[in-house]
Short mmCIF file of all heavy atoms in Angstrom, two decimals:
data_model
loop_
_atom_site.label_atom_id
_atom_site.label_comp_id
_atom_site.label_asym_id
_atom_site.label_seq_id
_atom_site.Cartn_x
_atom_site.Cartn_y
_atom_site.Cartn_z
N VAL G 4 -81.46 5.13 28.62
CA VAL G 4 -82.75 5.80 28.51
C VAL G 4 -82.73 6.84 27.38
O VAL G 4 -83.65 6.91 26.55
CB VAL G 4 -83.13 6.48 29.85
CG1 VAL G 4 -84.40 7.33 29.68
CG2 VAL G 4 -83.32 5.45 30.94
N ILE G 5 -81.69 7.64 27.35
CA ILE G 5 -81.60 8.72 26.35
C ILE G 5 -81.45 8.13 24.94
O ILE G 5 -82.05 8.63 23.98
CB ILE G 5 -80.44 9.66 26.69
CG1 ILE G 5 -80.78 10.43 27.98
CG2 ILE G 5 -80.17 10.64 25.55
CD1 ILE G 5 -79.62 11.17 28.57
N ASP G 6 -80.66 7.07 24.81
CA ASP G 6 -80.53 6.43 23.50
C ASP G 6 -81.87 5.86 23.04
O ASP G 6 -82.21 5.92 21.84
CB ASP G 6 -79.48 5.32 23.55
CG ASP G 6 -78.06 5.87 23.66
OD1 ASP G 6 -77.87 7.08 23.42
OD2 ASP G 6 -77.14 5.07 23.97
N ALA G 7 -82.65 5.33 23.98
CA ALA G 7 -83.97 4.81 23.63
C ALA G 7 -84.91 5.95 23.24
O ALA G 7 -85.72 5.83 22.31
CB ALA G 7 -84.55 4.01 24.79
N GLN G 8 -84.80 7.09 23.94
CA GLN G 8 -85.59 8.26 23.56
C GLN G 8 -85.20 8.73 22.16
O GLN G 8 -86.06 9.14 21.37
CB GLN G 8 -85.37 9.39 24.56
CG GLN G 8 -86.04 9.17 25.91
CD GLN G 8 -85.77 10.33 26.86
OE1 GLN G 8 -84.76 11.02 26.77
NE2 GLN G 8 -86.69 10.54 27.80
N ARG G 9 -83.92 8.67 21.87
CA ARG G 9 -83.45 9.06 20.55
C ARG G 9 -84.04 8.15 19.47
O ARG G 9 -84.42 8.61 18.38
CB ARG G 9 -81.92 9.01 20.52
CG ARG G 9 -81.29 9.25 19.15
CD ARG G 9 -81.63 10.62 18.63
NE ARG G 9 -81.01 10.88 17.34
CZ ARG G 9 -81.52 11.68 16.43
NH1 ARG G 9 -82.66 12.29 16.64
NH2 ARG G 9 -80.89 11.87 15.29
N ALA G 10 -84.14 6.86 19.77
CA ALA G 10 -84.74 5.92 18.82
C ALA G 10 -86.20 6.27 18.57
O ALA G 10 -86.67 6.23 17.42
CB ALA G 10 -84.60 4.49 19.33
N VAL G 11 -86.92 6.64 19.63
CA VAL G 11 -88.32 7.05 19.47
C VAL G 11 -88.39 8.33 18.64
O VAL G 11 -89.23 8.48 17.75
CB VAL G 11 -89.00 7.26 20.84
CG1 VAL G 11 -90.41 7.81 20.66
CG2 VAL G 11 -89.03 5.96 21.63
N GLN G 12 -87.48 9.25 18.90
CA GLN G 12 -87.45 10.51 18.16
C GLN G 12 -87.20 10.25 16.68
O GLN G 12 -87.83 10.87 15.81
CB GLN G 12 -86.36 11.43 18.73
CG GLN G 12 -86.39 12.84 18.16
CD GLN G 12 -85.24 13.68 18.67
OE1 GLN G 12 -84.12 13.19 18.81
NE2 GLN G 12 -85.50 14.95 18.94
N GLN G 13 -86.29 9.33 16.37
CA GLN G 13 -86.03 9.00 14.97
C GLN G 13 -87.26 8.38 14.32
O GLN G 13 -87.55 8.63 13.15
CB GLN G 13 -84.84 8.05 14.89
CG GLN G 13 -83.51 8.73 15.20
CD GLN G 13 -82.36 7.74 15.28
OE1 GLN G 13 -82.50 6.63 15.79
NE2 GLN G 13 -81.21 8.13 14.76
N THR G 14 -88.00 7.57 15.09
CA THR G 14 -89.23 6.99 14.56
C THR G 14 -90.26 8.07 14.25
O THR G 14 -90.92 8.03 13.20
CB THR G 14 -89.83 5.99 15.57
OG1 THR G 14 -88.88 4.97 15.83
CG2 THR G 14 -91.10 5.35 15.02
N VAL G 15 -90.39 9.04 15.16
CA VAL G 15 -91.30 10.16 14.91
C VAL G 15 -90.86 10.92 13.66
O VAL G 15 -91.69 11.28 12.81
CB VAL G 15 -91.35 11.10 16.13
CG1 VAL G 15 -92.18 12.35 15.82
CG2 VAL G 15 -91.90 10.39 17.35
N GLY G 16 -89.56 11.16 13.53
CA GLY G 16 -89.05 11.84 12.35
C GLY G 16 -89.32 11.05 11.07
O GLY G 16 -89.69 11.63 10.04
N ASP G 17 -89.17 9.73 11.14
CA ASP G 17 -89.46 8.89 9.97
C ASP G 17 -90.94 8.96 9.61
O ASP G 17 -91.31 8.97 8.42
CB ASP G 17 -89.05 7.45 10.25
CG ASP G 17 -87.54 7.27 10.32
OD1 ASP G 17 -86.82 8.14 9.79
OD2 ASP G 17 -87.08 6.25 10.89
N ASP G 18 -91.81 9.00 10.63
CA ASP G 18 -93.26 9.11 10.39
C ASP G 18 -93.58 10.42 9.67
O ASP G 18 -94.37 10.45 8.71
CB ASP G 18 -94.04 9.03 11.70
CG ASP G 18 -93.99 7.65 12.34
OD1 ASP G 18 -93.62 6.68 11.64
OD2 ASP G 18 -94.31 7.55 13.55
N VAL G 19 -92.97 11.50 10.14
CA VAL G 19 -93.21 12.81 9.52
C VAL G 19 -92.68 12.83 8.10
O VAL G 19 -93.35 13.31 7.17
CB VAL G 19 -92.56 13.94 10.35
CG1 VAL G 19 -92.72 15.28 9.64
CG2 VAL G 19 -93.18 14.01 11.73
N ARG G 20 -91.48 12.30 7.92
CA ARG G 20 -90.87 12.29 6.59
C ARG G 20 -91.69 11.44 5.62
O ARG G 20 -91.87 11.81 4.46
CB ARG G 20 -89.43 11.76 6.69
CG ARG G 20 -88.66 11.88 5.39
CD ARG G 20 -87.17 11.88 5.62
NE ARG G 20 -86.74 10.91 6.61
CZ ARG G 20 -85.50 10.85 7.08
NH1 ARG G 20 -84.60 11.72 6.67
NH2 ARG G 20 -85.16 9.94 7.97
N ALA G 21 -92.21 10.31 6.10
CA ALA G 21 -93.03 9.45 5.24
C ALA G 21 -94.32 10.16 4.85
O ALA G 21 -94.76 10.09 3.69
CB ALA G 21 -93.33 8.14 5.96
N ARG G 22 -94.95 10.84 5.82
CA ARG G 22 -96.18 11.57 5.52
C ARG G 22 -95.92 12.69 4.52
O ARG G 22 -96.69 12.89 3.57
CB ARG G 22 -96.77 12.13 6.81
CG ARG G 22 -97.98 13.03 6.63
CD ARG G 22 -99.14 12.31 6.00
NE ARG G 22 -100.30 13.19 5.88
CZ ARG G 22 -101.38 12.91 5.18
NH1 ARG G 22 -101.46 11.74 4.54
NH2 ARG G 22 -102.39 13.76 5.10
N ALA G 23 -94.82 13.43 4.72
CA ALA G 23 -94.49 14.51 3.80
C ALA G 23 -94.18 13.96 2.41
O ALA G 23 -94.55 14.56 1.39
CB ALA G 23 -93.29 15.30 4.34
N ALA G 24 -93.50 12.81 2.35
CA ALA G 24 -93.20 12.20 1.06
C ALA G 24 -94.48 11.75 0.36
O ALA G 24 -94.61 11.88 -0.87
CB ALA G 24 -92.27 11.01 1.26
N ASP G 25 -95.45 11.23 1.13
CA ASP G 25 -96.74 10.85 0.55
C ASP G 25 -97.45 12.07 -0.03
O ASP G 25 -98.03 12.01 -1.12
CB ASP G 25 -97.63 10.18 1.61
CG ASP G 25 -97.15 8.79 1.98
OD1 ASP G 25 -96.35 8.21 1.21
OD2 ASP G 25 -97.56 8.29 3.04
N LEU G 26 -97.42 13.17 0.72
CA LEU G 26 -98.06 14.39 0.24
C LEU G 26 -97.38 14.90 -1.02
O LEU G 26 -98.04 15.38 -1.95
CB LEU G 26 -98.01 15.47 1.33
CG LEU G 26 -98.86 15.23 2.57
CD1 LEU G 26 -98.58 16.29 3.62
CD2 LEU G 26 -100.35 15.22 2.21
N ARG G 27 -96.06 14.78 -1.07
CA ARG G 27 -95.33 15.22 -2.26
C ARG G 27 -95.69 14.36 -3.46
O ARG G 27 -95.88 14.86 -4.56
CB ARG G 27 -93.83 15.16 -1.98
CG ARG G 27 -92.98 15.78 -3.07
CD ARG G 27 -91.51 15.70 -2.74
NE ARG G 27 -90.73 16.60 -3.56
CZ ARG G 27 -89.41 16.69 -3.52
NH1 ARG G 27 -88.72 15.93 -2.67
NH2 ARG G 27 -88.77 17.52 -4.30
N ARG G 28 -95.79 13.04 -3.24
CA ARG G 28 -96.16 12.14 -4.33
C ARG G 28 -97.58 12.42 -4.80
O ARG G 28 -97.85 12.47 -6.00
CB ARG G 28 -96.03 10.69 -3.87
CG ARG G 28 -96.30 9.68 -4.99
CD ARG G 28 -96.25 8.26 -4.51
NE ARG G 28 -97.28 8.00 -3.52
CZ ARG G 28 -97.04 7.80 -2.23
NH1 ARG G 28 -95.81 7.85 -1.76
NH2 ARG G 28 -98.04 7.56 -1.38
N ASP G 29 -98.50 12.63 -3.84
CA ASP G 29 -99.88 12.94 -4.21
C ASP G 29 -99.96 14.24 -5.01
O ASP G 29 -100.71 14.34 -5.99
CB ASP G 29 -100.76 13.04 -2.96
CG ASP G 29 -100.91 11.70 -2.25
OD1 ASP G 29 -100.61 10.65 -2.88
OD2 ASP G 29 -101.33 11.70 -1.07
N ALA G 30 -99.20 15.25 -4.55
CA ALA G 30 -99.20 16.52 -5.26
C ALA G 30 -98.65 16.36 -6.67
O ALA G 30 -99.16 16.98 -7.62
CB ALA G 30 -98.38 17.55 -4.48
N ALA G 31 -97.61 15.53 -6.82
CA ALA G 31 -97.03 15.30 -8.15
C ALA G 31 -98.03 14.59 -9.05
O ALA G 31 -98.16 14.92 -10.24
CB ALA G 31 -95.76 14.48 -8.01
N LEU G 32 -98.77 13.61 -8.50
CA LEU G 32 -99.76 12.88 -9.30
C LEU G 32 -100.90 13.80 -9.72
O LEU G 32 -101.36 13.75 -10.87
CB LEU G 32 -100.30 11.69 -8.50
CG LEU G 32 -99.31 10.54 -8.26
CD1 LEU G 32 -99.93 9.49 -7.34
CD2 LEU G 32 -98.90 9.90 -9.59
#
């Protein structure tokens, strides 16, 4: 259960990182 929660947490982190990276790219453009 905890390992599966960790996988969800990593997915949430990837979503945040992707959004932040998009914002950084938009700001650079």
Side-chain angles (χ1 to χ4, degrees):
V4 173
I5 292 168
D6 288 346
Q8 287 180 333
R9 174 61 178 151
V11 175
Q12 189 184 39
Q13 288 173 322
T14 301
V15 174
D17 290 340
D18 291 344
V19 175
R20 187 158 42 188
R22 174 62 178 168
D25 288 343
L26 292 173
R27 188 180 196 183
R28 184 183 62 251
D29 293 344
L32 291 174

